[in-house]
Structures are given as structure tokens and as C-alpha cells.
Amino acid sequence: MRWLIFIAIYFVIELYAFQAIRVISKNKWILIGYVGWSLFVLAYFVYVFFNYDRSVGQTQLSLGATALLLVSFVPKIVLILFMFGEDMIRGIIGVYNYISNGSLGVNEEGYVPSRRKFISQIALGVAAIPFAGFLHGIFRGKYNFKVLKHVLYFEDLPSAFNGFKIAQISDIHSGSFDDPEKINYAVDLINEQEKDILLFTGDIVNTKAEEMDPWIETFKKIEKPIHGKYSVLGNHDYGEYVNWETEKAKEDNFQAIKNIHNKIDFNLLLNESTYLEKDGEKLALIGVENWGHNFKKAGDLQMATNNIASNDFKILMSHDPSHWEHEVKKDEKHFHLTLSGHTHGFQFGIEIPGFLKWSPVQYVYKQWAGMYEEAGRYINVNRGFGFHAYSGRVGIWPEITIIELRKGVKPA
């Protein structure tokens, strides 16, 4: 039924898009070529996903099929907004003509005026923007790494940690990578940043531990800062998005994924905590397993903080930002800074610093990209290092975050 609904919507959108093409050009070969291409995209997408192997999971083939559909389909959604708007106006004029006996002019086809060529030209011109955006996202955007920096002020920050710099990466999704040169560039970019600690907030693979095998040596090149490299698990690290022959195979994969962190010199925190010490003072670093409002709830704040005092300065790593919204920010232990990822910023949106920040994911997650604050508690939602489902990024770029902690009150 879902496929039937999808195909029905696809054909309605294609019908409108075809109207725009036909108004602009009467060349039958252009029209045939357009129809042929649209049918090919639909057939290829349906073929790939009807043959999707649930025991394998996402592949480069499924990534490519999704990208092809988005490049072809999303611009047409923009197109039909114009075409449908024009139809509404044509319909109103047609009703008026019928009632007033054609006072606005009746054409040879009746009371409803013909489509205007310039409207179709404008519609196609506007639709070309997302078309170009998705193409850029596939070939350039997904590796357009950005270093984003934040400075946070806390009156109760231990003095020794004034100026302490945290580097955060998240959502590696190594099974999606297809360009070693770009990944090496990103690793070099991480190493170039001045930092005291490096924190990774989950989703090292899409599903299977073997996805990371070609990239172990690459990620081992990430240099260890003075206070180390720590990590937590994300929802994709539990192997729950494929079918396993046995429960043991699933458990073996989960253990292998946990072992990856040690192989690339990260200290994996599983509902546990540690203290970072400097000049006789300390702050608490806590790492919980995945806790998502709509995903796996393996994270346990109470277990993770058993040895943490209530007045300690606390940094929490928790993959899914919904954990902060539903549990962390209300917790009496007062977690000063939470680091998350998970959303990828939907890998699609518009960000103009200081002016506009929008993505469809904001209708699902209240905190979805960047730094948020409530009652002196902060959360940073990293936009992700890798990509998943769609092999591209449009307007929401892969991120390396640098957060500097300072003691005191934020300047006015």
C-alpha cells in the first residue's frame, strides 16, 4: 500500500511537471525524453528497494538510488507549486467567466484561460535551484567539512579549565564513505585544530562492524590530545536496522563495533564516567549509551553518574539530542554541557548565520543543529561527520566542532 501511494503521488507530480515542459516546448523528442527519464528513475528506484537485502543493509547502490530520486523528484515538487498556483488562478477566472458570460475573455478552449509560457519558465528556473543544490550535495557538499567554534562561559567552571578546548565529531557512518582522499583531508583538519580533548558522539557505522575495516588506519591517524579521546555509541551501532541469521551474530557484531573504538584509540564510555584532572582540579566526563525518544533507550544517566558528585562540573556525551530535551535538562544533577549528534541536520536545509536556520528536521527535533541553552545548561548538536540514506548534503555541511570553556559571565 505504501508503494502504491508513493507511485500515485509520483505520477501526479510528474503530470504537473510535464505540463510545464509541454508549454515551453512542443518538440516531441524533448517530451518523449522527459517521460522516458522520469519512468527510468521511478523504475530504478523501485527495483533497487524491492531488491533491498535486509541482511546487508544500506549499500552504495541504495545510496545512489535515493540520490537519483531526490535529484529528479524534489525540484518537481517546487515546480508544481507554481503550476498548481497557476491552476487555482485559472480556475477562479474560469468560474468568473462562466458566471459573467465570458467578461474576462473566452478562449477557443472555453472559459478557462490557457497556461502562460512565462509562468512555466519561471517555475523551471526556480526548480533548477534545488536541482543544482542536490547535484552539488552529491559531488561536493557531503565532504564540505566545516570547523565551527563556540565559546561558553560558566561561573562554576574550575579555574584550571579556563580556556579548555573540546573538539567534537559525531556520526561517522563509515559504511557510506566513497572517497578516501576526502576522509584523509577531514582527519588532517581535525588534527590541525587546537584542542585539549576529542569527543566522538556515536554512530561509527551504518550497521555492521566490517564497514569500518577499510578506515581503521585512517582514523588511527587522529592525534590524541593531552586529555585523550573518548566516545559513546549511537543508535546505528546496535545493529538493529538489518536482519540477522541468529541473535549471536547480532551480538558478535555489536561486540566488534565496540572493539572498533579501541582500535582507533578512543576510550568508549558505556553508561560510565571519568574525571579529567588539571592542576589539582577536575571536571566530570560522562558517556551514556544511546537514549532516543523514538529510538533505542540503552542510556542510563543514573548508572553513568553513580560516582559523580552533584556539585561537579559535568560534560555529558549522549548521541540523541531528544535525551537532553526529555531527561537531561530536567535532571537535578545539573549537566552543564551535553554533546549530541544524530540528526545530521537532515543533511538538507538553509543556514545563513544570524539570519536564517531551517531544515525539515526541526519539526521532529527541538534541538537539531548547533548550540542551544536553557537555564544555564547547554547542548551542542553536531551536524555529523559522515552521511546516511542520501549520499549528499545540501546547505547543512559536515562538521568539526571546537568548544572553548571559559570561567566567568558571558560579556554583554
Side-chain angles (χ1 to χ4, degrees), residues 290-301:
N290 190 79
W291 191 104
H293 186 58
N294 296 310
F295 290 89
K296 187 177 184 70
K297 293 178 173 63
D300 189 330
L301 267 181

Side-chain angles (χ1 to χ4, degrees), residues 56-113:
V56 175
Q58 179 178 276
T59 64
Q60 293 298 326
L61 186 66
S62 62
L63 278 169
T66 303
L68 181 64
L69 181 73
L70 289 173
V71 168
S72 177
F73 191 62
V74 173
K76 293 170 187 173
I77 296 176
V78 175
L79 186 84
I80 68 167
L81 295 177
F82 285 86
M83 307 304 292
F84 184 71
E86 183 187 22
D87 277 353
M88 291 183 65
I89 295 173
R90 290 170 66 218
I92 293 170
I93 293 174
V95 170
Y96 183 84
N97 274 336
Y98 180 78
I99 295 173
S100 62
N101 199 27
S103 62
L104 290 182
V106 179
N107 60 32
E108 58 187 21
E109 297 177 358
Y111 293 106
V112 179

Side-chain angles (χ1 to χ4, degrees), residues 153-349:
Y153 290 82
F154 300 93
E155 292 185 74
D156 56 347
L157 178 72
S159 299
F161 289 89
N162 185 38
F164 189 79
K165 291 185 177 179
I166 302 165
Q168 181 197 3
I169 58 173
S170 192
D171 298 88
I172 288 174
H173 287 286
S174 56
S176 299
F177 294 157
D178 56 13
D179 191 331
E181 182 179 346
K182 296 296 185 182
I183 302 305
N184 275 289
Y185 162 76
V187 167
D188 290 341
L189 192 59
I190 294 170
N191 286 336
E192 289 172 10
Q193 306 311 309
E194 183 181 342
K195 54 193 174 296
D196 297 291
I197 193 170
L198 175 62
L199 305 178
F200 168 61
T201 46
D203 278 359
I204 201 164
V205 296
N206 295 332
T207 298
K208 295 188 174 182
E210 63 194 41
E211 298 167 20
M212 192 65 181
D213 290 347
W215 308 101
I216 294 293
E217 294 304 316
T218 300
F219 281 87
K220 280 185 70 173
K221 292 191 299 184
I222 298 178
E223 297 166 358
K224 181 181 287 188
I226 188 170
H227 287 278
K229 296 154 59 176
Y230 291 87
S231 57
V232 293
L233 298 174
N235 57 301
H236 280 268
D237 297 323
Y238 293 85
E240 297 195 336
Y241 302 117
V242 299
N243 296 329
W244 298 93
E245 291 186 4
T246 65
E247 191 62 31
K248 184 179 185 304
K250 180 181 178 181
E251 182 57 37
D252 288 345
N253 179 72
F254 183 47
Q255 185 60 51
I257 287 173
K258 290 188 286 186
N259 291 342
I260 290 170
H261 295 257
N262 183 57
K263 290 179 181 178
I264 59 174
D265 302 322
F266 276 80
N267 187 345
L268 179 63
L269 298 178
L270 299 167
N271 291 327
E272 54 189 321
S273 59
T274 187
Y275 279 109
L276 308 178
E277 298 187 9
K278 185 177 181 182
D279 298 338
E281 295 186 294
K282 63 183 182 180
L283 57 78
L285 176 66
I286 302 114
V288 295
E289 293 193 50
N290 190 79
W291 191 104
H293 186 58
N294 296 310
F295 290 89
K296 187 177 184 70
K297 293 178 173 63
D300 189 330
L301 267 181
Q302 302 311 311
M303 179 187 296
T305 56
N306 275 341
N307 299 319
I308 300 299
S310 59
N311 62 342
D312 285 331
F313 188 94
K314 305 173 192 68
I315 299 172
L316 171 67
M317 292 190 289
S318 181
H319 176 71
D320 190 321
S322 67
H323 192 201
W324 190 79
E325 177 64 22
H326 290 278
E327 281 199 348
V328 175
K329 73 177 185 181
K330 307 168 188 175
D331 195 285
E332 61 182 14
K333 287 190 174 70
H334 189 93
F335 295 89
H336 298 74
L337 172 62
T338 300
L339 302 177
S340 297
H342 180 64
T343 70
H344 302 201
F346 203 64
Q347 296 171 209
F348 175 82

Side-chain angles (χ1 to χ4, degrees), residues 18 21-22 24-34:
F18 180 76
I21 302 296
R22 190 173 64 174
I24 290 174
S25 175
K26 304 297 183 183
N27 186 302
K28 70 174 184 178
W29 294 111
I30 291 178
L31 298 178
I32 290 172
Y34 174 82

